[in-house]
Amino acid sequence: MTPHQATHCQEDTSAVRSRIAATIVSYLDGQQERDTTVSGLTLIQRTAPVPVTSFVYEPSLAMIMQGRKHIFLGQTTHSYDESLFFLTSVGLPTMTEVVEASEERPYVSVLLNLNMAMIRSVIAEIAIHDHYPQGGTAQAFGPADRRLFEVMERLINIAVAPSANVFLENLAKRELLYYLLTGPASQRVQQTALLGTQGNKASKAVEWLHRHYAAPLRIAELAELCSMAESSLHHRFRALTSMSPLQFQKNLRLHEARRLLLSQDIDTATAAYHVGYESVHQFNREYKRAFGAPPRADIQSVKRLGAS
């Protein structure tokens, strides 16, 4: 590709992103985010930077049309913008921070929850070697190029249409998956997708913790459930999620407690016991370490930000 062709391609990509951003902003009509008629597709905008916030990613694809954000996974901080997509094939408790957003140029993004059965179907149809890698992580960042944005634009246009069209929706989703699995980051995406399937032993531990985060965690029993040695479980779980099983459970508990405190009229002790803590003092200490303030002060701050 010549320098002129590369510049032309970049301009084309920028134009597609700008068109998608305008469509999303118009559709949201002042709302910060909104689910759509397309199953699993959420459109998002922010008109000011957003401080560090807890968020649990379901298996999903995230793309930014305008702006930039940070994702905190374990001890690692990832910064990404319009040039990258973010993909995860397991549910991940994270912290996120929108760092570039304004009234004039809002942060605009798309979040599409992934249907793992559809991914498996596409993998089978395009004859990707279906083995279950035991190393690597279940998250991938990859280049978001013009072709990927064009496919996403088609899906968004289906979403904002006056009536739903499930047939076209599924075609667009399968095309999106096909491109991710065969595009510039294909090897990384294939590995990430397969790591999130039932065939991967560590992913079974992730699923169990999502369902039973409030229960006591006994590593020996979890390893036996996944047919793994304890040392292998620790190693592969950390490789998959960037966290140990205990850290993962703690993050799930804290995220759920914060959600309860924000959405229900309950006190700190009730939230702590509900998510599995036996000591309110320990809960308060770990909550402050995770979110920067004790529960009551944090919830008041978040509600003030929401009101403003």
Side-chain angles (χ1 to χ4, degrees):
M1 180 181 291
T2 67
H4 174 74
Q5 289 173 322
T7 301
H8 180 67
C9 183
Q10 289 171 357
E11 290 171 348
D12 284 348
T13 304
S14 177
V16 176
R17 281 200 309 263
S18 296
R19 194 164 60 237
I20 296 172
T23 299
I24 292 173
V25 170
S26 175
Y27 180 75
L28 290 175
D29 192 25
Q31 298 179 68
Q32 289 202 3
E33 59 187 72
R34 183 176 172 185
D35 293 334
T36 68
T37 58
V38 168
S39 175
L41 181 67
T42 302
L43 306 181
I44 301 160
Q45 73 168 338
R46 299 288 186 265
T47 54
V50 179
V52 176
T53 305
S54 60
F55 187 77
V56 178
Y57 278 97
E58 298 301 324
S60 56
L61 168 69
M63 294 174 63
I64 295 175
M65 307 303 150
Q66 289 181 175
R68 184 166 60 91
K69 78 184 300 183
H70 294 153
I71 297 178
F72 305 93
L73 287 169
Q75 302 301 312
T76 305
T77 301
H78 300 274
S79 179
Y80 88 110
D81 57 15
E82 305 103 317
S83 66
L84 299 171
F85 66 80
F86 173 61
L87 178 77
T88 176
S89 59
V90 299
L92 283 177
T94 69
M95 306 294 286
T96 67
E97 179 185 22
V98 175
V99 293
E100 286 185 9
S102 66
E103 290 280 356
E104 297 75 23
R105 193 172 188 274
Y107 167 89
V108 181
S109 68
V110 175
L111 183 66
L112 176 64
N113 287 347
L114 297 177
N115 182 322
M116 297 306 292
M118 184 180 287
I119 291 177
R120 299 278 296 150
S121 172
V122 174
I123 286 174
E125 288 184 33
I126 60 181
I128 291 174
H129 181 53
D130 193 4
H131 69 288
Y132 300 104
Q134 298 299 330
T137 67
Q139 316 98 44
F141 289 89
D145 60 14
R146 180 165 56 107
R147 184 177 167 191
L148 187 59
F149 281 110
E150 287 173 343
V151 179
M152 180 59 77
E153 183 178 29
R154 285 196 285 279
L155 186 61
I156 291 170
N157 286 338
I158 294 167
V160 302
S163 58
N165 190 319
V166 177
F167 179 77
L168 291 179
E169 169 189 330
N170 287 332
L171 282 180
K173 285 180 176 179
R174 291 177 70 83
E175 183 182 5
L176 194 64
L177 292 174
Y178 173 83
Y179 182 66
L180 287 169
L181 290 163
T182 61
S186 59
Q187 187 173 4
R188 184 74 186 88
V189 171
Q190 290 170 23
Q191 181 189 49
T192 298
L194 288 169
L195 281 167
T197 63
Q198 280 287 337
N200 182 267
K201 293 179 179 180
S203 71
K204 293 180 181 178
V206 171
E207 292 178 7
W208 189 92
L209 285 169
H210 271 283
R211 293 195 303 269
H212 305 286
Y213 60 83
L217 176 57
R218 298 180 178 88
I219 294 297
E221 293 179 6
L222 185 59
E224 183 178 359
L225 178 71
C226 299
S227 303
M228 300 172 71
E230 290 184 42
S231 58
S232 294
L233 174 62
H234 274 289
H235 175 73
R236 291 177 180 173
F237 193 98
R238 184 178 290 277
L240 186 71
T241 67
S242 302
M243 290 170 261
S244 70
L246 187 61
Q247 289 173 317
F248 192 89
Q249 182 198 45
K250 181 174 72 174
N251 285 341
L252 286 175
R253 286 178 168 184
L254 292 172
H255 281 70
E256 176 61 12
R258 197 186 202 206
R259 186 192 69 79
L260 290 172
L261 288 167
L262 282 167
S263 62
Q264 300 182 21
D265 185 20
I266 60 174
D267 59 25
T268 299
T270 301
Y273 296 139
H274 181 85
V275 300
Y277 278 88
E278 296 180 357
S279 165
V280 177
H281 177 71
Q282 180 187 1
F283 171 74
N284 287 337
R285 183 176 66 251
E286 293 185 351
Y287 189 104
K288 182 178 180 180
R289 186 180 300 129
F291 302 119
R296 179 175 295 182
D298 173 61
I299 297 305
Q300 289 174 346
S301 175
V302 172
K303 288 182 175 179
R304 281 197 302 271
L305 283 172
S308 62

